[in-house]
Amino acid sequence: MQTSAEYRASVYQVFNSAKSRFLEEKSKNHDKKLAVIVDIDETVLDNIYTQAEYIKEGKNYSQKAWDEWVNAEKAVAMPGAVEFVNFIYENGGEVFYVTNRKESEREKTLDNLLKEKFIADDRHLIMKTKESSKESRRNQIENNYYVAAYLGDDINDFIDAGATAEERKNKVDELSGEFGKKYFIIPNPVYGSFEAAINSDYYKTDYRGRTEMRKNSLKGWK
């Protein structure tokens, strides 16, 4: 994710496809103003530096380390993300940032977005409140806007997919026709809700334990 041209290309591909989707919806007569909903982390802001530190140190995520990172405001824009947001506004739409960052992180998050030249303000920045599910927050936006596209790096940025790997796969298969049309997902093999689906005890163990669980979940051909 930090060095491969292929990963960078896949991110550009997502934003380019979402632009086409927006223009398609713009050509229709919608009763509501058009909007796009985007996740923040690993969708418009790149925080993979934090994950690199965990790997180098052999440690798991910690709230202390994350707070230090957010306060530093050093996340950089994902490839093509600023251009995408500008494109939506230039074509009459609005962009809502729906994130599971906490309300206490609002000021630093907004500062970081603005520092990276994103069009953003408090009204369009929707933080996590009581629950991790984004469903109610998406619904609130959908009450007033026609959402042309949803962008994220985790399946839960689009739907509440379930807890187990099998549930999640089945839900994705049910909605297969929406990906690349309504839902646009940026690959994130480093972290996400897929981790807990590997093993119900995933978050109860240490870095070495999690690495072993990942290894054990792999299926070879022999």
Side-chain angles (χ1 to χ4, degrees), residues 50-73:
T50 60
Q51 299 296 319
E53 291 293 342
Y54 302 151
I55 293 170
K56 289 166 66 176
E57 296 174 5
K59 297 179 180 179
N60 290 328
Y61 163 94
S62 73
Q63 188 63 52
K64 180 180 179 181
W66 175 250
D67 289 344
E68 183 180 8
W69 168 253
V70 171
N71 289 333
E73 299 177 14

Side-chain angles (χ1 to χ4, degrees), residues 117-147:
K117 309 302 182 185
F118 285 100
I119 300 172
D121 57 30
D122 273 323
R123 188 173 79 83
H124 291 83
L125 181 56
I126 316 298
M127 314 299 286
K128 176 182 176 181
T129 51
K130 295 181 180 179
E131 56 185 11
S132 296
S133 171
K134 296 181 176 180
E135 191 68 23
S136 63
R137 286 173 278 167
R138 289 192 293 261
N139 289 340
Q140 288 177 2
I141 297 168
E142 291 165 357
N143 286 338
N144 299 302
Y145 293 84
Y146 179 83
V147 181

Side-chain angles (χ1 to χ4, degrees), residues 40 85 89 94-97 106 109-111 113-114 118-127 145:
I40 290 182
V85 171
Y89 277 97
E94 296 181 26
V95 176
F96 286 88
Y97 304 87
R106 173 182 290 276
T109 299
L110 182 56
D111 285 349
L113 287 167
L114 295 174
F118 285 100
I119 300 172
D121 57 30
D122 273 323
R123 188 173 79 83
H124 291 83
L125 181 56
I126 316 298
M127 314 299 286
Y145 293 84

